[in-house]
Amino acid sequence: MSAATAATLPQQKRKPIKVGKVVSRALFFLLVGIILLYILFPFYWAARTSFMPDSDIYLTPVQYWPNNPTFQHYINAFSETTFVRSIANSAIVGISATAIAILVGASASYALARFNFLGRNVALYLILAMSMFPGISILGSLYTVLQRFHLYNTLYALIIVYLTFSLPLMVWIMQSFFRGMPRDLEEAAYVDGASQFQTFWRIMIPLAAPGLATVGILTVMGCWQEYLFALSFLLSSNKWTVPLAIANTGANQASAFQIPWGDQMAETLVVMLPLIAAVLILQRRIISGLTAGAVKG
Amino acid sequence: MERDDRLGREMTRFLRDWSRRDFLRRTGQAGALLATGSGMAAFLEACGNGSSSGGSASSTVNTSGLPNVPTVPSDVVTAAKKSSGKTLIVSQDPSGKGGQVAKLAAAQFEKDTGVKISFVVAPSSTSDLYAQYQRVFTSKASTPDVVNIDVVYPGAFGQYLADLKSLPLLGDLSTKSYPSLVQNDTVSGKLVGIPNAGDFGFLYYRKDLLQKYGFANPPATWQELTDQATKIQGGERAANPNFYGLAFQGNAYEGLTCNAMEWFVSSGGGNVIDNGKVTVDNKQNVDILNLAKSWVGKISPSGVTAFIEEDSRNAFTTGAVAFLRNWPYVYALAADPKNSKVVGNFDVAPLPHGPGGESAACVGGWQYGINGASALKEASAAWIAYTAGPDFQKYRAINTTTPPTMDAVAKDADVLKANPWLSIQTNRVVRPSKLGTKYNQGSTFIFQAVNGVLRGGDAAQALGQLKTSLQSLL
Amino acid sequence: MSSRPPAGAAVAEGAAVPTPRRKVRSLEASNARFAYYMLAPALICMALVAFYPMVNTIVTSLTDTTFGQNTTKFVGLDNYTKLVQDPTFRTSIWTSVRFTIITVVFEFVLGLIVALVVNSSFRGRGVVRASMLIPWALITVISAAMWKLMYNQIYGVFNDILVTRVHVLAANVDWLGSPATALPAVAAIDIWKTTPFIALLLLAGLQLIPGDVYEAADVDGAGKIRTFFSITLPLLMPSILVAVIIRALDALRVFDLFYVLFGQRPDTTTMSIYVQEQIIYFGKVGYGSAVSVALLFIIAIFIAIYIMMSRWSVARS
C-alpha cells in the first residue's frame, strides 16, 4: 500500500493503463470520502445542535446551519459546577485506572507469556474468561462487595472496577506482544546479571511501550464513557463522572420530561476535544516509536 | 525464525533510541502521575465528605429568580426543633425549577428549625430511580431518610417504608389529600406515602383549527375525536404534508400503560384488575383498542408507536398535530413563545370517553416516604409536612406548575390562574400499583400487549394473552 | 504480534548452556515464584471484582431470590428449566446474535480500510487519522440519544435528506420505531462508534509488519491486491483475530445502547436487556441470575468457535 516503493521500481513495472489507474484511485477517494462522512456527520450534527436553541431542534424544515445561533449552551455548561467537577472526577478515575491497569496487566502478561508454572493455563483462561461477564449480571453482587468494603459512593470503587475489567483486553494484547518478542534481549540481560524483575522493568516494558500505549488509549477512552457502573455505584452528584453529569444535566429546563439537548451537546463537545488532542499526541508517540525501525509510515 | 530476527533488530534499534535514562525519567513521570492521581482522588474524597454531598443549603440568599418560599409553619417547627443540628438526607431530583425550589426550601427549613438538609441525587429516569431505591432498601441502608416515590411504587417499596400515620403531623396531612391517592399509598393498612405532586392526563387541542373546520366543541367521545382529527388533517395536509390529527404516547413503556388505562376505563372496560380479578379481556376494551389501532398511520404518524412524552409534545408545540394527549407540564411550554408555535391557539379539555363510559384521566405523580431504617423519622416527618403541606403546594403550583394533590389548593384562585387546566373535571384512574413488587412486570405485560396491537396485532388475542399473563401474577 | 504456537506451549528458561540438575530446578522454582508475584495483583483484583460476584450470581441462580421477598430458598435447576421454555429469552438470543454478526462484519471491514489508509502514504491520511477517534470520544449514552434525534420520523435529518432533499425514499421512515429497520439502525450507531477501536488495533498490527516484506513483494512483481491478500492479511491475522473476538464479545453483551434507545421494547430486547429486565426491573433476582449464567454459556460457545477458527488459521499459515 505504499507509493514510496514505486519510486524504487525498475522502469518496466510502470506499465498500467492510465485510465484504469485513475478510475481506481477515484473510487478509492470516493470510498474514503464516504467513510469520512459517516464518521464526521454526527459530530457536525452535535456541534450544530449545541449552537442552536432547543426549541429549534424539532422544527421542520431541518436547519443544517442554525438560524438563531447562540452560545448560551456553552455558558450553561461551564456554569454548571456538577459538570465541571465531573471532568476532574473522570480524569482522575480514567488516569488512575489506566495507569494501574497497565502495571498490573503488563506484569501479569509477562508472567503468562514468558514463564511456565503450575496453573499458568488456568490463570490465562480465567483472565480471558472475565471478558465474558456481562456487566449487568454482576451488578448486584458487585454492589454488595463494594458496600462491605465501604467503597460505595467513592471514586475508588470505579477505579478498581474499571481497572479489573480492562485487564482481559490488556492481557490479550500484551501477552501475544511479549511472546512475539525474541528472547535474545532477556537472555543477554540474564547473562549480565539482571534479576527477573529488572529485566522486566528495564527492558521488556520499554520494548512493549507501543502496545502499552495503544491499550492505554483504549482503556482511558473506555473509562471515560462507562455509564452503567458509574450510575450504580455513585450516589452524590459531586462524585459523578462525565457521562452521569451530562445525562443528568438539567438545571435549566422546566420539567423532568424535557431533555436539554443543547446543553448536553455542548458539554459532550467540551469534554471530547481535549480528549482527542491528548490521544493524538500519544498516538504520534506510538507511530514514531515504531518508525525507528524500517516500517513505512 | 527470520522474521523474529528482523523484529528483534528493529526492537533493539528502537530501544537504543529510547535510552535507559529516558525511560527512567518516563517511569518517574508515570509514577508521579499515578501518585498525583491517587492523591487527588483521596483529596477529593476528603473534600466531598467534609462538605455535604450535592446541593446542601449553605446560604439563605435567594438568587434563583423565584419568589421566596413560604416560612415553615409553627407546628412543624415545634416538631422539628427536637432534631435541631442533625442532618437529614433527602433524595431529590436536582434538575429544573423543582431542584431550585428544593434548595430554597432546604435553606428556609434550616433557618427556621435548625435541621440541616442534604440532598442525594435521584436520577431523572424512573427506572433508574427504582433501581437505586432497590439497592438502598435491600442493603438496609439508613439513608436517604426521605425518599420520593413514583405513584406506582408504594406497593413495591411498602415493606421498607415507615408507617406515616404514627408520626406527628402526617396523619392529619393525609386527610387533606385526594382520597384515591391516599388509598394508593396505603399498603397493608400502613400509610407509606404522602402525595406531593399529582399529574393527570387530559386533551390538548388547537382551538383555532376547530374553529376553522366548524367544530363548536372539543370531542366528547373517541369516535368524535377520530372524525374531527380526520377532517382537520385532510384540510391541513395541503399546507403541511407532515400534519397529523392526533399524537399520544404509544411507545412500549410505562406511559403507554397510562394511555391504555384511560382508553379502557373511559370505554367502560374496567381497571384491568378489579377487586383482585383480571377483567381486561372484554368487548369494550377490544373495541377501543381496534379504534386506537386504526389511528396509527392514518391520523397519527406511524412513529407514534415509539413516541414518549416529549415526542408527542414537540409534535403539538411545533404545530404539526391537532390533538394531543399528555400531562399538565405541556401547558406552560405550549404557552411560552420560546418553545411553542401555537401560543394562544390551544386549549385543554377532559379526555374523550367511549359509549357507555365517562372521561378518565390516569394519575401520575410523586409521594414522599420515610426510609424504615432511618434514624431521623420525626425530623423527616417535619420536612415532609413542610414541603408537602398546603402552603408549599400552593407555592409550587404557582411557580413551577406542579399539580397539587389537595383539593383546597387546586381550587385556590391564584393557583387556578397560573394553571387553568386544573379546572378540568374528570374521573381519576390509578394504575394497578397494588401488584406491589410485581407492578413492573404487570405493567410490562400491559404495555407490550397494547403496543403489539398498535403495531397491527389482533386486539382480542392480545387481550386474551394479557389476561393469562396477569393472572399468573396474582 | 506474530503468530506463535497457541497457548499451552512454553519454553524452558535459560537453557542455552547445560547446567546441573539442582541449579536448573531452583532456577525454575525462582522463575515460578517470580511469575506468581507478577500475577498476584491481577488475580486479587479479579477475584474480588469479577469472580466473587460471578460465583455469587451462579449461586443465586439456584435460588428463588426476589426483590421484596424476605426469605429465599434453594430451588435447584428450576430456573433453568423455566429458562429453556422461555420464548422471550430465545428471541433475545437471536436479536443479540444478529446484532453481533452485523456489527462485527461491518466494523471489521471499515476498520481495516481506515487502518490501511492511515498506514499508507495516501494523501488524505492525516485527516482520516485525526477524525477516526471522534466517534469514540463522543460519550455513548449522549451520542446514542443524538442519533435518536437524527433518526426521528418527523424532524430527523436522515429523513430530511433522503426524502425531502435527495428524493431517494418516498415517505419518511420511522427508522428506530419500525421493527424491520430498528436493528440495522442501531447497528449503524454501534459501527460508527466502534470502527475507530478496531482501526486502532489493526493499525498497531499493520505497523508491526516490517517494510522489507513489502519491498520484497514489489521486487517479485506482485500487484497491490495480491500483496494485500497473500502478505498483509496473513501477517495481520493475529491482530484481526484479537480485534474480532473482543468486538464480538462486547456486541453480545451490549447494554447501554439498547437501554437508552429502546428500553423494554420486545422486538429489540437483547440478552443483557433481558437480564436487566428480570433482575432489576422485575426484581426476579434468582431467575435473572439464571439468564446471566445462560448468557455466559452462550458467550463461551462463541469463544469455543473462535479458538477452533484461530487454531485452523494458524495451522494453515
Side-chain angles (χ1 to χ4, degrees):
Chain A
M1 283 295 239
S2 54
T5 50
T8 60
L9 280 177
Q11 236 356 69
Q12 77 225 52
K13 290 300 169 194
R14 291 213 203 98
K15 57 169 175 1
I17 310 164
K18 263 210 149 155
V19 173
K21 204 163 182 179
V22 165
V23 167
S24 72
R25 285 227 102 188
L27 279 177
F28 186 64
F29 265 95
L30 186 63
L31 181 62
V32 174
I34 293 179
I35 293 182
L36 267 181
L37 192 65
Y38 180 41
I39 290 179
L40 292 176
F41 184 72
F43 166 65
Y44 170 71
W45 210 243
R48 175 216 75 138
T49 310
S50 71
F51 284 112
M52 55 195 274
D54 279 356
S55 47
D56 281 5
I57 299 176
Y58 312 112
L59 294 178
T60 52
V62 171
Q63 299 173 17
Y64 287 88
W65 187 263
N67 290 348
N68 307 306
T70 166
F71 276 104
Q72 188 59 40
H73 297 303
Y74 287 92
I75 298 176
N76 290 345
F78 283 109
S79 41
E80 205 171 310
T81 46
T82 318
F83 171 62
V84 176
R85 183 153 196 169
S86 74
I87 299 181
N89 289 338
S90 267
I92 293 171
V93 169
I95 294 175
S96 308
T98 306
I100 304 179
I102 286 180
L103 290 175
V104 173
S107 310
S109 314
Y110 184 59
L112 290 168
R114 281 298 198 228
F115 296 90
N116 191 19
F117 51 93
L118 186 64
R120 175 184 166 280
N121 283 344
V122 174
L124 182 63
Y125 288 136
L126 277 182
I127 294 181
L128 301 181
M130 236 179 34
S131 55
M132 297 183 346
F133 295 172
I136 190 83
S137 306
I138 54 173
L139 202 58
S141 315
L142 194 49
Y143 171 75
T144 318
V145 169
L146 291 173
Q147 269 260 329
R148 203 166 295 175
F149 284 91
H150 301 289
L151 288 176
Y152 178 61
N153 200 25
T154 65
L155 290 181
Y156 295 121
L158 285 189
I159 293 178
I160 294 178
V161 172
Y162 289 168
L163 98 83
T164 309
F165 282 101
S166 54
L167 282 178
L169 177 65
M170 189 85 55
V171 169
W172 271 99
I173 292 177
M174 292 316 300
Q175 66 105 15
S176 75
F177 207 90
F178 280 130
R179 266 214 300 234
M181 285 189 199
R183 291 175 184 271
D184 336 11
L185 293 160
E186 287 160 270
E187 280 164 20
Y190 288 138
V191 163
D192 279 348
S195 74
Q196 298 134 331
F197 187 71
Q198 282 171 328
T199 314
F200 169 67
W201 193 241
R202 299 199 164 165
I203 297 185
M204 300 314 281
I205 292 267
L207 277 183
L212 288 177
T214 305
V215 191
I217 294 175
L218 299 177
T219 309
V220 167
M221 292 289 232
C223 292
W224 204 263
Q225 306 213 0
E226 203 282 330
Y227 185 68
L228 182 63
F229 286 143
L231 176 68
S232 311
F233 301 145
L234 295 178
L235 188 60
S236 326
S237 63
N238 67 341
K239 299 219 168 65
W240 272 351
T241 53
V242 167
L244 290 180
I246 299 185
N248 283 295
T249 294
N252 297 304
Q253 87 274 30
S255 81
F257 290 110
Q258 283 172 276
I259 302 176
W261 292 108
D263 286 353
Q264 285 185 339
M265 292 304 143
E267 290 172 358
T268 310
L269 291 180
V270 161
V271 166
M272 180 193 87
L273 293 168
L275 198 60
I276 292 190
V279 174
L280 280 179
I281 296 173
L282 273 180
Q283 213 186 351
R284 206 164 285 160
R285 166 83 39 217
I286 308 177
I287 295 176
S288 80
L290 286 167
T291 51
V295 178
K296 235 156 301 308
Chain B
M1 273 168 33
E2 197 190 78
R3 209 153 49 79
D4 267 350
D5 270 358
R6 209 177 278 136
L7 196 60
R9 261 181 272 134
E10 246 93 80
M11 293 301 189
T12 323
R13 223 181 303 173
F14 166 59
L15 177 62
R16 266 209 316 272
D17 289 343
W18 208 11
S19 71
R20 188 192 269 195
R21 220 181 314 138
D22 207 40
F23 172 72
L24 285 179
R25 180 166 59 83
R26 268 173 239 289
T27 8
Q29 282 174 345
L33 194 59
L34 179 57
T36 320
S38 316
M40 277 179 76
F43 175 65
L44 274 177
E45 286 296 324
C47 260
N49 289 331
S51 69
S52 0
S53 43
S56 88
S58 44
S59 81
T60 48
V61 178
N62 180 356
T63 54
S64 67
L66 293 163
N68 287 326
V69 288
T71 53
V72 185
S74 49
D75 52 349
V76 176
V77 173
T78 327
K81 271 243 171 358
K82 292 180 223 150
S83 319
S84 181
K86 302 232 176 75
T87 305
L88 204 56
I89 314 267
V90 175
S91 166
Q92 173 70 39
D93 183 358
S95 67
K97 288 213 194 123
Q100 290 174 330
V101 167
K103 288 201 193 101
L104 293 176
Q108 187 69 39
F109 196 73
E110 182 174 347
K111 180 158 147 238
D112 290 348
T113 67
V115 176
K116 298 200 255 288
I117 307 285
S118 170
F119 292 119
V120 290
V121 176
S124 40
S125 141
T126 308
S127 49
D128 288 342
L129 185 58
Y130 185 79
Q132 190 184 76
Y133 284 159
Q134 260 187 338
R135 282 191 287 269
V136 166
F137 293 134
T138 46
S139 63
K140 302 198 176 39
S142 65
T143 63
D145 300 288
V146 177
V147 292
N148 202 8
I149 315 250
D150 193 306
V151 71
V152 292
Y153 292 141
F157 294 128
Q159 58 172 290
Y160 303 107
L161 297 171
D163 188 357
L164 301 180
K165 276 199 296 247
S166 64
L167 292 167
L169 304 167
L170 293 184
D172 191 47
L173 189 58
S174 68
T175 59
K176 300 197 182 114
S177 313
Y178 288 125
S180 57
L181 288 178
V182 174
Q183 203 206 20
N184 180 60
D185 293 350
T186 308
V187 175
S188 312
K190 218 166 61 157
L191 178 68
V192 298
I194 296 283
N196 64 76
D199 280 330
F200 60 100
F202 48 85
L203 188 72
Y204 293 81
Y205 64 94
R206 291 279 298 279
K207 62 182 183 200
D208 59 326
L209 291 179
L210 254 65
Q211 210 178 30
K212 179 172 169 189
Y213 289 88
F215 297 116
N217 294 312
T221 66
W222 294 112
Q223 191 54 52
E224 268 181 49
L225 171 65
T226 315
D227 299 332
Q228 288 190 11
T230 315
K231 181 155 177 207
I232 297 179
Q233 179 179 309
E236 292 295 301
R237 271 292 167 89
N240 180 359
N242 278 321
F243 188 88
Y244 282 94
L246 169 67
F248 57 95
Q249 297 84 44
N251 188 30
Y253 81 128
E254 184 66 24
L256 180 55
T257 308
C258 298
N259 277 260
M261 296 235 25
E262 284 161 357
W263 296 336
F264 294 158
V265 175
S266 66
S267 306
N271 291 318
V272 177
I273 300 179
D274 295 282
N275 298 322
K277 288 176 59 140
V278 181
T279 56
V280 74
D281 189 11
N282 57 60
K283 182 167 185 321
Q284 294 96 313
N285 287 347
V286 174
D287 288 341
I288 185 65
L289 278 187
N290 280 327
L291 184 62
K293 180 162 70 167
S294 75
W295 297 335
V296 179
K298 294 211 202 70
I299 59 169
S300 296
S302 61
V304 79
T305 53
F307 269 14
I308 58 172
E309 282 86 358
E310 273 293 274
D311 301 312
S312 54
R313 190 273 292 180
N314 286 322
F316 188 74
T317 52
T318 55
V321 125
F323 293 100
L324 167 72
R325 179 270 169 207
N326 211 324
W327 306 102
Y329 86 99
V330 175
Y331 196 94
L333 287 170
D336 176 7
K338 275 204 319 247
N339 279 307
S340 161
K341 292 194 156 356
V342 299
V343 183
N345 283 331
F346 74 97
D347 207 343
V348 294
L351 285 168
H353 55 83
E358 282 180 356
S359 162
C362 183
V363 167
W366 298 86
Q367 351 288 313
Y368 285 132
I370 299 180
N371 188 338
S374 163
L376 294 169
K377 293 202 182 76
E378 293 197 355
S380 304
W383 168 255
I384 295 177
Y386 171 50
T387 52
D391 294 336
F392 210 87
Q393 286 214 8
K394 178 171 168 176
Y395 173 88
R396 261 207 290 228
I398 295 176
N399 292 295
T400 67
T401 68
T402 303
T405 55
M406 296 178 178
D407 212 31
V409 178
K411 298 219 160 76
D412 180 286
D414 295 323
V415 169
L416 278 175
K417 204 164 83 156
N419 306 291
W421 44 269
L422 272 175
S423 57
I424 293 179
Q425 300 291 354
T426 177
N427 185 16
R428 303 210 185 193
V429 168
V430 178
R431 286 163 276 169
S433 66
K434 293 297 178 204
L435 283 170
T437 50
K438 302 206 180 97
Y439 174 76
N440 280 335
Q441 230 177 326
S443 179
T444 304
F445 289 146
I446 297 174
F447 68 65
Q448 286 187 345
V450 175
N451 187 265
V453 172
L454 290 178
R455 287 174 187 274
D458 180 74
Q461 197 183 29
L463 288 179
Q465 263 170 346
L466 180 58
K467 176 172 180 178
T468 324
S469 315
L470 287 175
Q471 258 165 355
S472 72
L473 293 180
L474 291 176
Chain C
M1 284 189 254
S2 55
S3 50
R4 277 301 192 94
V11 183
E13 266 306 304
V17 175
T19 32
R21 247 195 129 87
R22 204 167 34 99
K23 239 189 171 169
V24 171
R25 240 189 248 131
S26 81
L27 182 62
E28 275 181 21
S30 125
N31 281 339
R33 250 203 321 272
F34 173 66
Y36 286 134
Y37 284 143
M38 296 289 266
L39 206 42
L43 288 180
I44 295 174
C45 285
M46 279 168 31
L48 268 180
V49 173
F51 283 98
Y52 171 70
M54 197 65 216
V55 167
N56 204 353
T57 303
I58 297 177
V59 168
T60 314
S61 73
L62 302 172
T63 67
D64 68 344
T65 313
T66 314
F67 172 64
Q69 191 182 292
N70 290 318
T71 57
T72 62
K73 64 175 198 288
F74 185 73
V75 293
L77 294 176
D78 249 12
N79 289 327
Y80 291 98
T81 346
K82 272 191 271 181
L83 190 58
V84 169
Q85 300 161 347
D86 188 344
T88 322
F89 180 59
R90 280 199 291 269
T91 319
S92 75
I93 300 179
W94 180 228
T95 309
S96 283
V97 169
R98 260 190 311 154
F99 178 75
T100 304
I101 294 176
I102 299 176
T103 53
V104 172
V105 166
F106 277 94
E107 279 162 13
F108 167 62
V109 170
L110 288 181
L112 189 57
I113 295 177
V114 170
L116 288 172
V117 166
V118 173
N119 193 42
S120 74
S121 54
F122 173 67
R123 218 152 11 130
R125 82 172 218 261
V127 179
V128 178
R129 180 163 76 183
S131 53
M132 152 177 139
L133 286 168
I134 290 181
W136 210 24
L138 286 174
I139 297 183
T140 312
V141 287
I142 306 300
S143 58
M146 190 194 63
W147 272 83
K148 192 173 178 185
L149 272 185
M150 295 202 293
Y151 276 136
N152 189 283
Q153 189 187 31
I154 297 185
Y155 48 77
V157 65
F158 292 140
N159 278 321
D160 191 68
I161 296 178
L162 291 171
V163 177
T164 323
R165 314 259 164 184
V166 182
H167 301 291
V168 167
L169 294 173
N172 281 5
V173 177
D174 185 15
W175 299 97
L176 289 177
S178 103
T181 54
L183 205 61
V186 152
I189 304 179
D190 197 68
I191 294 167
W192 169 80
K193 189 173 57 79
T194 326
T195 299
F197 173 86
I198 304 280
L200 205 57
L201 281 180
L202 294 180
L203 182 62
L206 275 176
Q207 291 181 326
L208 276 180
I209 302 176
D212 326 36
V213 168
Y214 291 124
E215 278 176 32
D218 273 326
V219 165
D220 286 345
K224 283 224 178 98
I225 306 238
R226 191 140 171 263
T227 315
F228 178 68
F229 279 103
S230 0
I231 297 186
T232 316
L233 216 45
L235 284 178
L236 200 51
M237 196 52 78
S239 308
I240 293 179
L241 289 174
V242 170
V244 162
I245 191 62
I246 289 175
R247 266 316 298 158
L249 294 184
D250 279 346
L252 283 171
R253 298 177 299 161
V254 69
F255 178 74
D256 283 353
L257 197 57
F258 280 79
Y259 187 59
V260 166
L261 291 177
F262 298 123
Q264 316 294 135
R265 228 173 88 177
D267 61 323
T268 56
T269 301
T270 59
M271 294 191 285
S272 284
I273 296 277
Y274 192 54
V275 168
Q276 181 261 355
E277 187 180 87
Q278 294 298 317
I279 294 187
I280 297 181
Y281 201 52
F282 292 174
K284 289 162 66 169
V285 183
Y287 186 66
S289 300
V291 179
S292 300
V293 175
L295 172 51
L296 204 62
F297 186 64
I298 289 170
I299 293 178
I301 294 179
F302 268 76
I303 292 187
I305 298 177
Y306 160 75
I307 292 181
M308 285 194 315
M309 273 174 43
S310 80
R311 292 238 167 106
W312 173 75
S313 101
V314 163
R316 249 165 46 106
S317 65

